[in-house]
Amino acid sequence: MKKLKHLLLSFLTAFLCILLSVFDNSPIFSITAFATSKILSSPIVATKPTVNQTQIFSLVQQSQALYEGGEFTEAVQLLKKAADEFKATNNVLNEAIALTNLSLVYQQLGQWQQANEVISQTIQLLQSLKDSDSSQEQSQVFARALDVRGGLELAQGQTEAALSTWQSAAKIYQHLDDISALIRNHINQAQAMQAMGNYLQADKTLTSVREILQKQPESPLKATGLYSLGNILRSLGYLNDSHKILEESYSVAVQVGSAIAQSNALLSLGNTARAQTSAQLSLGNSSNAKDYTKTAIQYYQQAALIASATPTVRLQAQLNLLRLLVEQEEFSTAKALLPQIQSQIDNLPPSRTAVNYRINFAQSLSKMKQNSVEPKDVAKMLAQAVQVAKSLKDQRTESYALGTLGELYEQTGQLSDAKGLTQQALVEAESIDAQDIAYQWHWQMGRILQKQSNIPAATQAYNRAYNALKSLRNDLVAINPDVQFSFRESIEPVYRQYVDLLLQLQENPIQKPDNLVQARQVIESLQLAELDNFFRSPCLVPRVDLDQLLEKEISTAVIYPIILDNRLEIITRLPGQDTIYRKTTKVPKDILEKAVEQLQKDLPVASREPDVKQLSQQLYDWLIKPIESDFANKGITSLVFVLDGSLRNIPMAILYDQQQQKYLIEKYAISLMPGLQLLAPKSLNNVRLNVLIAGVEQERFIEGKSFSELSNVTQELKQVQSSVKSSKELLNQEFTKANLQNQIQSTPFSVVHLATHGQFSSDIEQTYILTWDSLLKVRELDSLLRARGESRPETIELLVLSACKTATGDKRAALGLAGVAVRAGARSTLATLWTIDDESTSEFMGELYRQLDAGVTKAQALQRAQLAILAKENRPYFWAPYVLLGNWL
């Protein structure tokens, strides 16, 4: 019996490793757009079978084989039968084990109600058993059941519940000294913490996992643990750390001679390098992207070579390699892979994995159709995938296969067939409430209907896609890494194309139609989704409706520019009116963005004033001139911009009116909003200005980056101190994270002023503020600047970031600035878009604080401080970099 028991436990461990491979080594180009569960969990096996129960145990063994092969519907039937047999013989523990596995399979099928019911039944069974006789085996099974429940909760967006459940399981694993299970559990906890926005705690948890692994002897278990850690780090956006950990996993695997662990690590290293390629492309670093692409190709080739004994890994590596080669248009090299991949796919037994591989292969082939690959051959492969999915009764996979075939027909212009297949795919997806799939097919249906010139029906389809994405907001944090970095290809177009259709339906320029209201809401949702994607967690909780605020602010107008492919739409909301104005400028997106990009390059160079003025005039004519008449005789003195796309990278103050020979800042106070909502607005009038001022003046070298001396920081801080009644200074060595946090916790500062190097980037890891001895990353701002706790609930009224800049060449760098503004939790954030180490900065800050102390609004204080510098120095380089985000009052 002991021998059988050990056999069962090793069977359990093997099953764990198999499932880790399923969840963590899925192709980076998987068709699955959303990882509904990236959770590390595993089916468990029956234990201590009696002689009479050997046949029942055989059912569990068979279910394992079916699960491994992706035949989930068949696995359900066997597990149900096993659970009933165990119940009939009053074997409660094994009944609970069978039910736990059944819940896992239901999750794979997307049958959430059944999964919930079964795991709840399991927990009740185990609790009753625990009350009567608690053994080590029972405790272990109970902890595994909790792990499964936690995964189910997270998959359904119940993040806090998932974290609590996993923490309960962790206590049991610690008591049992089950290191491998504890590692898996802590990785899951970190994912939940990340989804809740608790980055520091998630980081600490992952660090503890790494420390536990470092203490383990070199073994396949250690290699697998490091591999799992590296994969979760990639999914959370820590790409450099992911690479390092996966290299460690590979090194350990080589030392212990595990070919499977080596190939797994190499495949994951390829996936991380591929993610780094995408990250560099989004930053505009094409040279670095090419280097990472070469690295990814090498890893995939190595993985395929070593994985000759593990066909699944070899095929995954070759499919990933094929997609990468096709993206790089290296078609001749890609073509050489086709026979190898085709023969392997033809020999796969029917399973979800087989269907997914066929779809993945077909997607790559469809991009090679002009290179000796016929659409009919791709269609044939997808039709086979549909039939296999039908035979498996796997609705989720069948939906993918049908929808992908519909997409192929859309591409080849067979719109009627495309529409029919897309509708079938939608029926399957919605029957299991798989909104992560459904949004794609609603979007696809919208495109097809638009091509058929049925704009009203297309708009309705886009509305359904938009609503599906909104319902998935909490799940966006679980997007596969490749989809996170292809946000612009897989999610953003849904929003923009929907807005385009809404405005096509709109004819009258002045009224309050539902379509204009909806268009504004969609753009707001896009900006919110961008920030969620930036942080890998839902990060902004709306507090106050901007429209309601405008009812009271009679001198403020809100402007929403919307960049579409063939035009710039400008929606304006005026105070005290229900009227919404809509104007259109016929400027193509590429021309607009080219002008903005050039202006962004010219602004930080003082000598390029003539070029700056010319481009600024062009942008003024596109953006402001069409709406100037709307402001006539309405007493507008302040403009609030909800900017779109690349427009966020330049200050609106710079727009130049050639006719009046004035910059926009000379006519209006200006502020920006990252969306339509903000923290409850509050004027600084009657607020005692108590300022925490901190800065780094000396040259520093931190985390491999060199930061030059900022010679005017001391003078700037003195100017601030002389302009306010109360302040506390942290300069150079005193400006550390710990000191900053201690000061914020101990004193209710209304303003925090940081004069130091910083950078805003669309890459969260490259968005930071320099302290004396480290880089304060944007993910840390939340817990640091909001550290007052319940004892000091006061909100920071204004966060000032002087000497910061947007990342060079990053077209979406201002996304990092919006992220800082949101994560800091201040009502308003004043920042610079480029660094000015000049006396004008200290003069600007002195005037800013004098105006704030005098009781004007923040936007007016900014305007007056900028005009004071402009009066002395006309070049925009000196006065234009300052932008105000958030509350302008």
Side-chain angles (χ1 to χ4, degrees), residues 583-609:
K583 297 290 176 64
T584 302
T585 300
K586 296 292 185 181
V587 53
K589 177 182 178 180
D590 57 343
I591 293 177
L592 173 66
E593 291 189 338
K594 185 176 180 180
V596 171
E597 184 179 356
Q598 187 58 52
L599 182 57
Q600 185 184 5
K601 290 179 181 177
D602 291 343
L603 278 166
V605 183
S607 61
R608 292 185 183 171
E609 182 198 355

Side-chain angles (χ1 to χ4, degrees), residues 311-503:
T312 302
V313 177
R314 181 176 70 246
L315 185 51
Q316 286 178 348
Q318 290 175 331
L319 284 168
N320 290 0
L321 176 58
L322 175 64
R323 182 63 66 90
L324 196 52
L325 291 169
V326 169
E327 284 186 344
Q328 299 301 311
E329 298 186 351
E330 296 183 23
F331 295 118
S332 58
T333 308
K335 196 173 180 181
L337 279 173
L338 301 187
Q340 302 173 47
I341 295 175
Q342 184 71 66
S343 63
Q344 293 175 75
I345 285 180
D346 289 342
N347 292 324
L348 288 173
S351 67
R352 172 182 284 188
T353 303
V355 176
N356 285 347
Y357 284 161
R358 279 188 172 89
I359 297 171
N360 193 325
F361 190 33
Q363 288 174 326
S364 291
L365 290 175
S366 68
K367 296 182 180 180
M368 296 177 65
K369 57 180 180 285
Q370 295 179 357
N371 290 270
S372 304
V373 179
E374 295 295 329
K376 64 180 182 180
D377 296 327
V378 182
K380 182 180 179 181
M381 178 171 293
L382 288 170
Q384 291 172 344
V386 170
Q387 292 307 312
V388 175
K390 282 182 181 292
S391 69
L392 294 170
K393 299 179 181 178
D394 188 337
Q395 291 175 285
R396 184 178 184 88
T397 309
E398 184 182 349
S399 177
Y400 270 123
L402 286 164
T404 307
L405 182 55
E407 183 182 13
L408 177 65
Y409 282 130
E410 179 199 354
Q411 292 170 356
T412 57
Q414 298 167 267
L415 298 182
S416 179
D417 292 333
K419 183 178 177 182
L421 288 163
T422 304
Q423 185 58 49
Q424 292 179 55
L426 267 171
V427 169
E428 296 299 331
E430 293 186 329
S431 68
I432 56 173
D433 194 28
Q435 294 302 309
D436 57 313
I437 312 175
Y439 100 85
Q440 299 173 69
W441 308 145
H442 284 307
W443 176 25
Q444 187 163 295
M445 183 66 78
R447 297 195 307 267
I448 293 167
L449 289 166
Q450 186 176 11
K451 289 173 182 176
Q452 293 179 327
S453 300
N454 191 345
I455 301 302
T459 305
Q460 292 176 1
Y462 269 94
N463 178 254
R464 287 189 282 270
Y466 164 70
N467 287 330
L469 277 174
K470 281 206 304 184
S471 73
L472 285 167
R473 186 182 175 202
N474 289 337
D475 296 332
L476 288 175
V477 300
I479 299 176
N480 286 335
D482 59 308
V483 180
Q484 283 175 327
F485 287 112
S486 66
F487 179 89
R488 284 175 291 174
E489 289 76 34
S490 60
I491 295 175
E492 181 177 342
V494 179
Y495 293 91
R496 293 203 181 281
Q497 292 166 15
Y498 181 30
V499 168
D500 194 351
L501 285 173
L502 285 168
L503 296 178

Side-chain angles (χ1 to χ4, degrees), residues 44 86 181 229 308 384 407 487 656 783 802 838:
I44 47 183
F86 283 130
L229 178 59
S308 56
Q384 291 172 344
E407 183 182 13
F487 179 89
Y656 188 70
S783 51
S802 176
D838 185 83

Side-chain angles (χ1 to χ4, degrees), residues 137-273:
E137 290 172 350
Q138 291 163 9
S139 297
Q140 187 176 51
V141 172
F142 185 62
R144 291 291 171 90
L146 290 175
D147 271 349
V148 171
R149 170 180 267 182
L152 181 58
E153 288 166 337
L154 188 68
Q156 297 175 101
Q158 302 165 18
T159 313
E160 293 183 12
L163 180 58
S164 176
T165 299
W166 281 326
Q167 288 171 338
S168 297
K171 294 176 182 177
I172 300 173
Y173 290 136
Q174 286 171 335
H175 178 71
L176 296 175
D177 197 28
D178 189 339
I179 299 300
S180 62
L182 192 61
I183 289 170
R184 182 183 69 243
N185 177 278
H186 281 173
I187 290 175
N188 290 343
Q189 285 191 47
Q191 187 175 352
M193 292 167 184
Q194 173 87 8
M196 294 165 63
N198 193 345
Y199 304 105
L200 286 182
Q201 193 59 41
D203 187 56
K204 289 178 182 177
T205 302
L206 292 174
T207 299
S208 73
V209 169
R210 186 172 187 178
E211 290 172 352
I212 292 171
L213 285 167
Q214 298 296 347
K215 294 176 183 176
Q216 302 304 307
E218 309 298 85
S219 64
L221 174 64
K222 182 175 182 178
T224 300
L226 288 166
Y227 150 79
S228 301
L229 178 59
N231 284 330
I232 203 69
L233 286 168
R234 180 179 65 246
S235 73
L236 298 180
Y238 299 101
L239 300 183
N240 291 334
D241 290 340
S242 171
H243 180 83
K244 291 176 185 176
I245 294 295
L246 289 170
E247 279 192 323
E248 288 183 42
S249 174
Y250 176 68
S251 177
V252 172
V254 169
Q255 291 180 53
V256 300
S258 172
I260 293 177
Q262 288 178 52
S263 57
N264 281 336
L266 287 167
L267 177 54
S268 286
L269 279 164
N271 292 347
T272 296

Side-chain angles (χ1 to χ4, degrees), residues 505-567:
L505 291 173
Q506 184 55 46
E507 295 180 357
N508 298 328
I510 305 176
Q511 54 187 325
K512 190 185 178 183
D514 291 340
N515 287 344
L516 285 185
V517 174
Q518 180 72 352
R520 289 192 316 158
Q521 291 174 348
V522 173
I523 285 299
E524 178 206 11
S525 295
L526 170 58
Q527 296 191 347
L528 214 56
E530 284 181 309
L531 286 170
D532 288 347
N533 185 60
F534 178 72
F535 283 108
R536 266 66 162 191
S537 75
C539 63
L540 184 62
V541 180
R543 301 289 180 87
V544 176
D545 191 304
L546 197 52
D547 282 350
Q548 294 176 2
L549 185 59
L550 276 180
E551 299 300 326
K552 301 176 183 178
E553 295 302 312
I554 61 172
S555 61
T556 302
V558 183
I559 302 171
Y560 315 87
I562 302 173
I563 302 173
L564 299 174
D565 286 341
N566 61 347
R567 66 195 189 280

Side-chain angles (χ1 to χ4, degrees), residues 668-688:
Y668 304 99
I670 297 169
S671 63
L672 309 177
M673 287 291 300
L676 300 182
Q677 282 92 11
L678 71 166
L679 291 171
K682 182 179 179 181
S683 173
L684 271 180
N685 195 14
N686 299 323
V687 174
R688 181 171 176 266

Side-chain angles (χ1 to χ4, degrees), residues 688-691 720-727 853-854:
R688 181 171 176 266
L689 289 184
N690 184 17
V691 185
V720 175
Q721 286 177 309
S722 66
S723 303
V724 297
K725 298 178 178 65
S726 178
S727 65
D853 195 50

Side-chain angles (χ1 to χ4, degrees), residues 82-84 86-88 90-100 121-122 125:
D84 290 340
F86 283 130
K87 184 176 183 179
N90 200 32
N91 191 330
V92 180
L93 182 61
N94 281 334
E95 180 190 356
I97 291 171
L99 290 172
T100 301
Q121 181 183 349
T122 305
L125 278 173

